[in-house]
Short mmCIF file of all heavy atoms in Angstrom, two decimals:
data_model
loop_
_atom_site.label_atom_id
_atom_site.label_comp_id
_atom_site.label_asym_id
_atom_site.label_seq_id
_atom_site.Cartn_x
_atom_site.Cartn_y
_atom_site.Cartn_z
N ALA X 150 46.22 -41.85 24.31
CA ALA X 150 46.75 -42.17 25.62
C ALA X 150 45.74 -42.79 26.54
O ALA X 150 46.03 -43.73 27.30
CB ALA X 150 47.28 -40.83 26.27
N VAL X 151 44.51 -42.29 26.44
CA VAL X 151 43.39 -42.85 27.27
C VAL X 151 43.16 -44.32 26.88
O VAL X 151 43.02 -45.20 27.74
CB VAL X 151 42.13 -42.05 27.14
CG1 VAL X 151 40.93 -42.73 27.78
CG2 VAL X 151 42.29 -40.67 27.75
N LEU X 152 43.09 -44.58 25.55
CA LEU X 152 42.88 -45.96 25.09
C LEU X 152 43.99 -46.90 25.52
O LEU X 152 43.76 -48.02 25.95
CB LEU X 152 42.77 -45.95 23.55
CG LEU X 152 41.48 -45.42 22.99
CD1 LEU X 152 41.56 -45.30 21.46
CD2 LEU X 152 40.30 -46.26 23.33
N LEU X 153 45.24 -46.41 25.46
CA LEU X 153 46.36 -47.22 25.86
C LEU X 153 46.33 -47.58 27.33
O LEU X 153 46.57 -48.69 27.74
CB LEU X 153 47.67 -46.46 25.50
CG LEU X 153 48.99 -47.23 25.83
CD1 LEU X 153 49.05 -48.48 24.98
CD2 LEU X 153 50.17 -46.32 25.55
N ALA X 154 45.98 -46.58 28.10
CA ALA X 154 45.83 -46.76 29.61
C ALA X 154 44.73 -47.76 29.90
O ALA X 154 44.83 -48.62 30.77
CB ALA X 154 45.58 -45.47 30.30
N ALA X 155 43.61 -47.67 29.14
CA ALA X 155 42.48 -48.57 29.39
C ALA X 155 42.80 -49.99 29.02
O ALA X 155 42.46 -50.92 29.74
CB ALA X 155 41.30 -48.08 28.62
N THR X 156 43.57 -50.15 27.94
CA THR X 156 43.98 -51.45 27.51
C THR X 156 44.89 -52.10 28.50
O THR X 156 44.80 -53.28 28.83
CB THR X 156 44.63 -51.45 26.12
OG1 THR X 156 43.78 -50.85 25.20
CG2 THR X 156 45.10 -52.83 25.66
N ALA X 157 45.83 -51.32 29.05
CA ALA X 157 46.78 -51.81 29.98
C ALA X 157 46.08 -52.24 31.27
O ALA X 157 46.56 -53.12 32.05
CB ALA X 157 47.82 -50.73 30.30
N ALA X 158 44.95 -51.64 31.58
CA ALA X 158 44.22 -51.93 32.79
C ALA X 158 43.44 -53.23 32.74
O ALA X 158 43.01 -53.80 33.75
CB ALA X 158 43.29 -50.80 33.16
N LEU X 159 43.21 -53.75 31.49
CA LEU X 159 42.45 -54.99 31.34
C LEU X 159 43.28 -56.17 31.82
O LEU X 159 44.45 -56.21 31.71
CB LEU X 159 42.14 -55.22 29.84
CG LEU X 159 41.12 -54.25 29.21
CD1 LEU X 159 41.00 -54.53 27.71
CD2 LEU X 159 39.77 -54.37 29.87
N PRO X 160 42.62 -57.19 32.43
CA PRO X 160 43.34 -58.36 32.93
C PRO X 160 43.99 -59.13 31.78
O PRO X 160 43.38 -59.32 30.69
CB PRO X 160 42.23 -59.23 33.56
CG PRO X 160 40.95 -58.78 32.94
CD PRO X 160 41.13 -57.33 32.66
N ALA X 161 45.21 -59.49 31.95
CA ALA X 161 46.00 -60.27 30.92
C ALA X 161 45.57 -61.72 30.89
O ALA X 161 45.23 -62.31 31.90
CB ALA X 161 47.45 -60.14 31.18
N GLN X 162 45.51 -62.30 29.70
CA GLN X 162 45.24 -63.74 29.54
C GLN X 162 46.57 -64.48 29.74
O GLN X 162 47.36 -64.64 28.85
CB GLN X 162 44.71 -64.00 28.13
CG GLN X 162 44.33 -65.47 27.86
CD GLN X 162 42.94 -65.78 28.20
OE1 GLN X 162 42.20 -64.92 28.56
NE2 GLN X 162 42.60 -67.01 28.17
N ALA X 163 46.79 -64.89 30.98
CA ALA X 163 48.10 -65.50 31.28
C ALA X 163 48.11 -66.92 30.73
O ALA X 163 47.21 -67.68 30.96
CB ALA X 163 48.26 -65.48 32.80
N GLU X 164 49.23 -67.21 30.05
CA GLU X 164 49.43 -68.63 29.55
C GLU X 164 50.46 -69.28 30.42
O GLU X 164 51.57 -68.78 30.60
CB GLU X 164 49.84 -68.59 28.09
CG GLU X 164 50.03 -69.97 27.54
CD GLU X 164 50.61 -69.94 26.11
OE1 GLU X 164 51.44 -69.09 25.82
OE2 GLU X 164 50.19 -70.80 25.31
N THR X 165 50.11 -70.47 30.95
CA THR X 165 51.06 -71.21 31.77
C THR X 165 51.81 -72.20 30.86
O THR X 165 51.15 -73.05 30.23
CB THR X 165 50.32 -72.02 32.86
OG1 THR X 165 49.59 -71.07 33.68
CG2 THR X 165 51.26 -72.82 33.69
N ARG X 166 53.08 -72.04 30.80
CA ARG X 166 53.87 -72.92 29.95
C ARG X 166 54.57 -74.00 30.78
O ARG X 166 55.19 -73.67 31.84
CB ARG X 166 54.91 -72.10 29.14
CG ARG X 166 54.31 -71.17 28.12
CD ARG X 166 55.31 -70.43 27.34
NE ARG X 166 54.75 -69.58 26.30
CZ ARG X 166 54.44 -70.06 25.08
NH1 ARG X 166 54.68 -71.27 24.76
NH2 ARG X 166 53.90 -69.20 24.18
N VAL X 167 54.52 -75.21 30.35
CA VAL X 167 55.12 -76.37 31.08
C VAL X 167 55.88 -77.19 30.07
O VAL X 167 55.44 -77.45 28.95
CB VAL X 167 54.01 -77.21 31.75
CG1 VAL X 167 54.58 -78.43 32.38
CG2 VAL X 167 53.25 -76.38 32.83
N THR X 168 57.05 -77.71 30.51
CA THR X 168 57.80 -78.72 29.78
C THR X 168 57.58 -80.06 30.45
O THR X 168 57.84 -80.22 31.62
CB THR X 168 59.29 -78.36 29.75
OG1 THR X 168 59.46 -77.09 29.08
CG2 THR X 168 60.09 -79.42 29.00
N TYR X 169 57.14 -81.03 29.64
CA TYR X 169 56.88 -82.37 30.18
C TYR X 169 57.86 -83.35 29.56
O TYR X 169 57.90 -83.56 28.36
CB TYR X 169 55.47 -82.78 29.81
CG TYR X 169 55.01 -84.12 30.38
CD1 TYR X 169 54.26 -84.18 31.53
CD2 TYR X 169 55.22 -85.29 29.67
CE1 TYR X 169 53.78 -85.41 32.02
CE2 TYR X 169 54.80 -86.56 30.17
CZ TYR X 169 54.08 -86.54 31.33
OH TYR X 169 53.63 -87.77 31.83
N LYS X 170 58.72 -83.94 30.42
CA LYS X 170 59.79 -84.81 29.90
C LYS X 170 59.51 -86.21 30.43
O LYS X 170 59.40 -86.48 31.62
CB LYS X 170 61.17 -84.36 30.42
CG LYS X 170 62.33 -84.94 29.65
CD LYS X 170 63.63 -84.26 30.05
CE LYS X 170 64.81 -84.71 29.23
NZ LYS X 170 64.85 -84.06 27.88
N SER X 171 59.48 -87.15 29.47
CA SER X 171 59.00 -88.50 29.83
C SER X 171 59.97 -89.62 29.36
O SER X 171 60.73 -90.18 30.12
CB SER X 171 57.65 -88.79 29.29
OG SER X 171 57.20 -90.07 29.66
N ALA X 172 59.98 -89.93 28.08
CA ALA X 172 60.65 -91.08 27.56
C ALA X 172 61.06 -90.91 26.08
O ALA X 172 60.79 -89.84 25.53
CB ALA X 172 59.84 -92.31 27.75
N LYS X 173 61.58 -91.95 25.46
CA LYS X 173 61.86 -91.91 24.03
C LYS X 173 60.58 -91.79 23.23
O LYS X 173 59.51 -92.27 23.61
CB LYS X 173 62.65 -93.23 23.61
CG LYS X 173 64.01 -93.28 24.26
CD LYS X 173 64.76 -94.51 23.80
CE LYS X 173 66.18 -94.57 24.44
NZ LYS X 173 66.89 -95.78 23.96
N THR X 174 60.72 -91.24 22.02
CA THR X 174 59.56 -90.92 21.22
C THR X 174 58.79 -92.15 20.80
O THR X 174 57.59 -92.13 20.57
CB THR X 174 59.94 -90.14 19.94
OG1 THR X 174 61.00 -90.85 19.23
CG2 THR X 174 60.38 -88.79 20.29
N ALA X 175 59.49 -93.33 20.68
CA ALA X 175 58.83 -94.57 20.25
C ALA X 175 58.10 -95.26 21.39
O ALA X 175 57.35 -96.23 21.11
CB ALA X 175 59.85 -95.49 19.67
#
């Protein structure tokens, strides 16, 4: 329980997801 609590307290590595829409593949 202590290990689980300690892990939860660590800062998360947040991943920013973006969709980029531009033009035809060619």
Side-chain angles (χ1 to χ4, degrees):
V151 170
L152 287 173
L153 183 61
T156 301
L159 291 174
Q162 181 88 9
E164 181 184 36
T165 301
R166 293 182 176 274
V167 173
T168 297
Y169 184 96
K170 198 172 187 75
S171 180
K173 293 182 179 180
T174 53

